Amino acid sequence: MRTIDQIKESIAADFMNNEAVADLFGFPAGDNFAAHFSKVSVVNLLFYVFASAAWVVERLFETHRAEIEARIGEIIPHRAKWYKSKVLEFMQDRTLMPDTDRYDTSGMTQEEVDAARVVKYVTADENRNASLLTVKVAGEKDGVRCCLDPEVEMQLAAYLAEIKDAGVRINLVNREADTFNCSIDIYYNPMLLPENVRRDCEAAIRSYIANLPFNGEYTNMALIDALQAVEGVRIAEFRQATASASGMTAVTAIDARHVPAAGYFRAGQITLTMKAHEQV
């Protein structure tokens, strides 16, 4: 929002650019206002009064706009991304201010706020057919994604029940990482040691799996692309990949792509068959 001085400068600029006014006062059109009118001149004081009145009107409209937006926010049901942002604001072992969806952080340092916000990863997706909002979450320990502790999950569930819109059903997903296994044939440059190429290939696989976006889609093609970038790999021939959700005995064969049930993977058994690539 503009200040009084900014409004006054805009009025003065229009005044100085008006050719009829310039002829009347005897100055070149577009000249500097301060070069012809002092701070105590009648014109300068009138401009200040006009600018002050305009500033008050702009403030009133700004306040009115903020009140209308707040009212609309209270009436219209929130979208999925609102739930995502609110889950990231969840704070462990703290309560909301009465009749609000906000915490009182006035007596906390930024470090304390960051430590209390234990949810580091979250997605919120609506299943329109089932009228269900699925919220997947994860924390972080030593830079690695992890499941939230059970007591924290209970607090988060209570927090969501408090802030959610009436009638919204929420499926909170807080699970250990899905296990990813794969089997790949690596045709390597025989001028290099197969042990070194194997080590770099396994590191590339683990890096790809660990750095997928939270609840992001894994693809066999992208994994092969990551292996093709490893020095010494001439051909990476995909055999199979599987995923198993934590606590489940079923193993899912990955056909082209897969989204982990927990929102993230951990690398399990990586089987690399090293084959020297001989020139034909």
Side-chain angles (χ1 to χ4, degrees):
M1 192 170 57
R2 297 187 299 173
T3 65
I4 293 177
D5 287 340
Q6 289 173 331
I7 298 173
K8 178 176 172 294
E9 289 174 3
S10 176
I11 296 173
D14 291 340
F15 178 81
M16 298 300 291
N17 288 326
N18 190 297
E19 293 184 358
V21 172
D23 290 339
L24 179 63
F25 284 87
F27 58 78
D31 205 359
N32 183 270
F33 180 80
H36 301 277
F37 301 94
S38 69
K39 291 184 177 181
V40 295
S41 66
V42 173
V43 173
N44 185 70
L45 293 175
L46 285 174
F47 285 179
Y48 182 82
V49 172
F50 297 154
S52 298
W55 178 81
V56 171
V57 172
E58 289 186 5
R59 284 292 298 271
L60 289 173
F61 274 106
E62 179 66 20
T63 301
H64 178 68
R65 184 187 66 81
E67 291 175 348
I68 293 298
E69 288 181 350
R71 181 58 180 159
I72 291 174
E74 293 174 357
I75 296 174
I76 298 179
H78 297 103
R79 291 179 290 179
K81 68 178 183 179
W82 179 85
Y83 286 91
K84 177 179 178 179
S85 64
K86 296 305 292 185
V87 170
L88 288 172
E89 293 174 4
F90 164 75
M91 302 181 72
Q92 181 182 4
D93 299 330
R94 297 189 68 87
T95 58
L96 297 169
M97 292 186 291
D99 300 322
T100 73
D101 58 5
R102 300 183 303 278
Y103 293 98
D104 182 5
T105 60
S106 57
M108 302 175 66
T109 65
Q110 188 59 49
E111 290 75 15
E112 291 172 333
V113 171
D114 293 339
R117 289 177 175 166
V118 293
V119 178
K120 303 302 181 183
Y121 303 92
V122 58
T123 60
D125 299 296
E126 182 183 11
N127 184 328
R128 298 185 183 277
N129 295 328
S131 298
L132 184 69
L133 183 71
T134 297
V135 178
K136 292 185 182 180
V137 296
E140 188 176 84
K141 290 181 181 178
D142 300 324
V144 179
R145 294 167 184 165
C146 64
C147 181
L148 299 176
D149 293 336
E151 58 272 18
V152 176
E153 180 181 351
M154 291 179 61
Q155 293 178 9
L156 177 57
Y159 168 81
L160 285 169
E162 181 70 20
I163 68 169
K164 74 179 184 67
D165 292 314
V168 174
R169 297 167 55 229
I170 295 178
N171 174 34
L172 179 60
V173 178
N174 172 46
R175 310 175 67 162
E176 297 288 351
D178 291 23
T179 301
F180 172 82
N181 305 308
C182 67
S183 177
I184 301 173
D185 290 347
I186 302 294
Y187 291 82
Y188 67 94
N189 186 335
M191 296 181 65
L192 300 175
L193 291 173
E195 294 80 5
N196 292 343
V197 180
R198 179 195 299 273
R199 179 199 61 210
D200 294 343
C201 286
E202 185 170 335
I205 293 172
R206 293 185 182 277
S207 176
Y208 169 71
I209 291 301
N211 291 294
L212 280 171
F214 186 69
N215 208 43
E217 184 179 68
Y218 158 88
T219 66
N220 295 334
M221 182 180 66
L223 180 64
I224 293 301
D225 289 343
L227 287 170
Q228 292 287 175
V230 175
E231 183 180 6
V233 174
R234 288 184 171 173
I235 301 173
E237 186 174 3
F238 186 84
R239 291 300 182 187
Q240 69 170 354
T242 62
S244 56
S246 175
M248 305 295 289
T249 57
V251 177
T252 302
I254 299 176
D255 182 14
R257 59 182 182 170
H258 184 74
V259 176
Y264 60 110
F265 284 113
R266 71 171 182 85
Q269 183 176 357
I270 298 175
T271 303
L272 301 177
T273 303
M274 308 302 294
K275 298 181 180 183
H277 184 270
E278 303 291 348
Q279 296 293 338
V280 177

